[in-house]
Amino acid sequence: MDRQALSRSDWLTVPNIITVVRLLLLLPICYLFTVDGDPVLSAVLLVVFGATDWCDGFIARRFNQVSRVGEVIDPIADRLGVALIAVFLVVGQHIPSWIGWVIVLTDLTLAFIFLIFRGKYRPGVSYLGKVRTAILMTGLPLIVFGRIEGLGFLGSIGMTAVSAGALLHAIVGCTYAWAMISSRSEQD
């Protein structure tokens, strides 16, 4: 089956299963943050969460398993995951609230614009967007690893990374919003 045919019809793929697992990982991660649970387990789950983001894309491209479902649920899993993790880290007082606000408000704004245009104008992933995601997916577990006795320095590194990632998130969000709005204007 060629790539275009697979992209159009096949939704039951290994990358999509990995993405669903990533979404399901949010339940124990958020629970552990809520009860201030085991920081080692929390950090390991965050590492797995971030790794699955890389794995599903790699497998999809490498083994020709790109699907429309994957193109939709993968970014949703990324954005929802990072937003929920940031919110629960704010609630647990592990990161400053401004980081949570920047991430959540950026994502809500993009979702709102996307819905206004009925999903017709979806910008492609940018290099800066990939860098932002990598920084956030690295920094979030480092913050949690920093809660382990003797590893506080990792928390400081993670906080710097997540702060930079949140600022990049806002910048990338603005570029995506502009791309959706300008695409709409060009189509009219």
Side-chain angles (χ1 to χ4, degrees):
M1 179 180 294
D2 71 0
R3 183 178 180 138
Q4 282 190 336
L6 183 62
S7 178
R8 276 186 249 112
S9 63
D10 196 1
W11 60 269
L12 186 58
T13 64
V14 171
N16 291 347
I17 292 168
I18 292 171
T19 301
V20 170
V21 168
R22 182 162 74 250
L23 281 168
L24 293 174
L25 280 173
L26 291 171
L27 296 171
I29 290 169
C30 293
Y31 172 77
L32 288 169
F33 290 159
T34 302
V35 298
D36 202 20
D38 182 2
V40 174
L41 180 57
S42 300
V44 168
L45 289 175
L46 280 172
V47 168
V48 172
F49 180 87
T52 59
D53 180 37
W54 178 83
C55 285
D56 64 3
F58 174 79
I59 292 170
R61 288 183 298 277
R62 176 72 172 95
F63 297 102
N64 218 12
Q65 293 188 5
V66 174
S67 70
R68 287 192 180 177
V69 170
E71 290 172 348
V72 172
I73 65 171
D74 182 63
I76 290 171
D78 293 347
R79 301 290 39 97
L80 180 64
V82 170
L84 280 174
I85 290 165
V87 166
F88 278 87
L89 285 172
V90 167
V91 169
Q93 300 180 341
H94 303 295
I95 63 173
S97 60
W98 74 265
I99 292 174
W101 282 110
V102 166
I103 290 171
V104 170
L105 290 176
T106 300
D107 288 343
L108 287 176
T109 301
L110 289 174
F112 181 72
I113 293 169
F114 186 78
L115 290 173
I116 286 174
F117 297 144
R118 298 183 183 141
K120 293 179 184 175
Y121 312 102
R122 192 176 69 181
V125 177
S126 69
Y127 176 75
L128 192 56
K130 289 181 182 227
V131 169
R132 174 263 339 257
T133 300
I135 290 171
L136 286 171
M137 295 287 195
T138 302
L140 291 168
L142 287 175
I143 287 171
V144 179
F145 274 120
R147 295 179 51 225
I148 300 168
E149 190 172 329
L151 297 179
F153 70 97
L154 290 177
S156 299
I157 295 169
M159 187 63 69
T160 301
V162 169
S163 297
L167 294 173
L168 275 175
H169 189 67
I171 292 167
V172 169
C174 288
T175 64
Y176 287 165
W178 179 254
M180 285 189 280
I181 292 167
S182 62
S183 291
R184 165 76 179 183
S185 299
E186 291 171 8
Q187 299 293 326
D188 290 340

